[in-house]
Amino acid sequence: MKIATLNRGKETKYLNHYPLVDEADIYNNDHLKEGDLFYIMNGQEQYIATAYVGRQHKGLGWILSYDQNETINTSFFEKRFEIALQERDYYYHIEGTNAFRLFNAEGDGVGGLTIDNYDGHLLIQWYSKGIYKFRYNVIEAIQKVFPFKSIFEKMRFKDSEYTGGHVLGETPEFPIVIEENFTFYNVDLDDGLMTGIFLDQKEVRKKLRDHFAKDKHILNLFSYTGAFSVVAAKNATTTTSVDLANRSRSLTEENFGLNGIDPKSQYIYVMDTFDFYNYAARHGKVYDTIVIDPPSFARNKKKTFSVQKNYDDLINGALNILAPNGSLLLCTNSSAFSLKAFKNVIKTTLNEADVAYDIEEVMGLPKDFKTHPHYKPSKYLKAVFINIKH
């Protein structure tokens, strides 16, 4: 087994079960290659943990075990998967939802690996070359633990010519239809990195439908396949979906159709968000609830967007077309943008705009997206519901 020695004074965080191995904490890592297992030792050659090399999030790799006698093999993954399955038992027995996360990386004990369940069709996502080296063990363990109709995989790391595809089981005709909170969505597990829906937003979508949509005009920005629009449309007066990607229109129309909603009864624009702000303002359009769920980083021909630098512009643009006493749903999935920093941006922007407001609710990840208690970036999702008083 290879050994990595910690620099002096770096032991405490790992003894406190911090899961990501920081490259700067290791005395010398030139001998460590992607996929290598290694022991983390202190300067006195005392064992602290077993980790693997999988470069991700500026880290060298992830800790897998604190037991020097534990072998990292198929049995190791089986044990982790069995615990994860027990903790998700609830989702197998509720009505109206059949898509959820089965295994959530460091939250379930293996950083760099996630497994999602889409009505029995499983999707493995590999976030580094290092974790992909354990592919045989992981797939063997999945077959022993999780019920499935099919297994697909996606590579989420760079420098991989193979981007993913079918692994085992039946080969369904995509899109398949999944259900979430009694709403239906199309999903494709074999078409690039996206599937058609972000499962981590399930509780946020439900909150929007149940508390911020009834008899409202809803604007959904960065709408992708229209998931927020579709779930809100059941209670809303109208929904308006805006996304720059050409594909968004047809994908959104199909999701409306799945739920018995005529797409022509809703509004869909293929536009840049800031261009839409100007268009809506010129035409006197106002909305009761505006959903803003941007990517962490985006670039088009005109500009570069970053949530940490430009979220205030999104809020200010929304305020110009928000109806009196309207609401904002502000979201970010950036692990580098802490909840404290995000709330500070929101409060500063609204205070400078001189509007009165109440933060109605702050939401994070649902229970199936298990987080790590000692690793704040695992709580990456922030969703803030705000009522504006004017």
Side-chain angles (χ1 to χ4, degrees), residues 132 135 153-155 157 159-167:
Y132 190 66
R135 182 178 185 270
E153 64 183 350
K154 291 185 188 295
M155 313 298 119
F157 53 89
D159 307 323
S160 174
E161 292 181 9
Y162 170 60
T163 56
H166 179 256
V167 178

Side-chain angles (χ1 to χ4, degrees), residues 15-69:
L15 290 169
N16 289 335
H17 289 195
Y18 185 80
L20 184 68
V21 183
D22 191 329
E23 206 152 353
D25 292 346
I26 304 296
Y27 173 68
N28 177 20
N29 61 60
D30 291 347
H31 61 302
L32 298 175
K33 310 301 179 194
E34 285 284 312
D36 281 352
L37 289 167
F38 62 96
Y39 289 152
I40 295 176
M41 303 281 208
N42 65 14
Q44 290 75 48
E45 297 186 2
Q46 292 171 309
Y47 170 87
I48 293 175
T50 304
Y52 80 91
V53 180
R55 287 177 172 81
Q56 188 188 346
H57 298 318
K58 298 179 182 175
L60 174 67
W62 296 95
I63 287 172
L64 294 175
S65 176
Y66 296 92
D67 178 359
Q68 192 169 2
N69 296 317

Side-chain angles (χ1 to χ4, degrees), residues 104-225:
N104 195 39
E106 67 274 5
D108 283 298
V110 182
L113 173 72
T114 64
I115 306 169
D116 292 316
N117 171 39
Y118 296 89
D119 190 23
H121 301 279
L122 306 190
L123 176 65
I124 310 167
Q125 297 188 87
W126 311 95
Y127 283 83
S128 71
K129 285 183 179 178
I131 191 61
Y132 190 66
K133 294 280 180 73
F134 296 92
R135 182 178 185 270
Y136 174 82
N137 301 111
V138 168
I139 291 172
E140 193 175 28
I142 286 173
Q143 292 179 77
K144 293 182 178 180
V145 176
F146 296 126
F148 66 89
K149 299 172 188 173
S150 72
I151 300 175
F152 283 77
E153 64 183 350
K154 291 185 188 295
M155 313 298 119
R156 304 295 303 224
F157 53 89
K158 295 176 182 176
D159 307 323
S160 174
E161 292 181 9
Y162 170 60
T163 56
H166 179 256
V167 178
L168 277 173
E170 66 180 69
T171 49
E173 188 174 324
F174 289 117
I176 57 171
V177 178
I178 60 102
E179 188 176 11
E180 177 194 278
N181 294 317
F182 298 97
T183 306
F184 300 99
Y185 303 97
N186 276 329
V187 163
D188 190 338
L189 306 184
D190 200 19
D191 180 26
L193 291 178
M194 305 290 215
T195 64
I197 193 165
F198 296 110
L199 297 178
D200 53 5
Q201 289 275 27
K202 65 170 73 66
E203 297 302 327
V204 181
R205 283 189 281 269
K206 185 174 185 293
K207 181 80 175 181
L208 174 71
R209 179 194 68 194
D210 294 348
H211 298 280
F212 290 87
K214 188 169 176 56
D215 302 327
K216 307 282 190 190
H217 295 282
I218 308 285
L219 172 60
N220 178 18
L221 301 167
F222 306 96
S223 58
Y224 183 32
T225 61

